[in-house]
Structures are given as C-alpha cells and as structure tokens.
Amino acid sequence: MFPIRQRRPEETERLYEIWRSAVEATHDFLSKEDLARIAAIVRDHYLPTAELWVAVDDEDRPLAFMGLTGSAVDSLFVAPDHRSRGLGRALVDHATVLAGPLSVDVNEQNAGACAFYGRLGFILVGRS
C-alpha cells in the first residue's frame, strides 16, 4: 500500500505537475483557453493553500493528491502513469476515516471520474 500524509509546502510544483498531467489525460472537454485559466488558479491559489493529502512512493515522492475540506473531497488527482493502482481509492478511504461520509462534485463530462466514484459507492444527488 502507499503511505498517505499531509502535503509539504515545497511539494507545490510536483503537485502541480500531477494535476496538469492528470487533467491533460482526463479532461478533454476543456478548451486550451479554459485549461490555461484554470491552471493559473490551481498553481497560484489552490495548491499553495489547500489542505492536501498525498499518496507517496517508497522514496516519499508524491504520486497522487486529494484536497479535503470538512467531508467534501475538493480534488483528487493521480499521476497518469500511476492510475489504476489503488491510489485514488486509498486517498478516499483515508478521507472517510478522517471525515466520515464524504461528498464530491465531479464534472459529468469526466466519465472516468464518474465511474470511479460510482464504484466507491458515491451516488448522484444533484446536478449543477
């Protein structure tokens, strides 16, 4: 299993790399302009300040991360070359231990994420 710990401030660039590569692999519904606008917000505002949990390898290098505010999963991104290895599930399980029943907002255009959360027992309660 992969160890999970809180993020460290010096890891912001690595977490941005994970975010960027994961989004490029899964969010084909975003235009280049939208991706650039969102990337600036993520890099400059979200990643430096959010409460993030990271799943790390044997060398303590982040492979995936999850943002958690209360019982809401704000973000969950796995480096593409480490997908389907249980990292996302481990992060969600960790969040459940910390916060109890969870909620998450998912872009419905991201079919992989919708399927992932469905496999973990999340149910659709609304659309916005």
Side-chain angles (χ1 to χ4, degrees), residues 12-128:
T12 299
E13 186 59 33
R14 171 66 182 149
L15 299 180
Y16 177 74
E17 291 170 7
I18 292 170
W19 177 85
R20 184 72 185 225
S21 63
V23 167
E24 288 175 350
T26 61
H27 290 59
D28 58 356
F29 52 89
L30 291 176
S31 69
K32 288 182 181 182
E33 294 79 17
D34 286 340
L35 178 56
R37 181 180 48 78
I38 295 166
I41 294 167
V42 168
R43 183 187 59 242
D44 299 335
H45 301 286
Y46 178 70
L47 291 176
T49 62
E51 179 180 343
L52 301 175
W53 294 91
V54 296
V56 299
D57 64 14
D58 292 338
E59 297 176 5
D60 203 35
R61 180 177 161 95
L63 304 174
F65 71 88
M66 173 187 62
L68 186 64
T69 302
S71 62
V73 176
D74 300 325
S75 60
L76 179 60
F77 292 94
V78 178
D81 54 338
H82 288 89
R83 289 179 63 196
S84 299
R85 296 185 184 181
L87 290 163
R89 177 180 290 272
L91 285 164
V92 170
D93 289 347
H94 183 76
T96 301
V97 169
L98 293 173
L102 304 172
S103 65
V104 64
D105 289 334
V106 180
N107 289 312
E108 66 185 351
Q109 302 98 320
N110 188 342
C114 291
F116 168 77
Y117 288 111
R119 286 190 303 274
L120 295 183
F122 285 79
I123 56 169
L124 178 65
V125 295
R127 295 177 70 206
S128 63

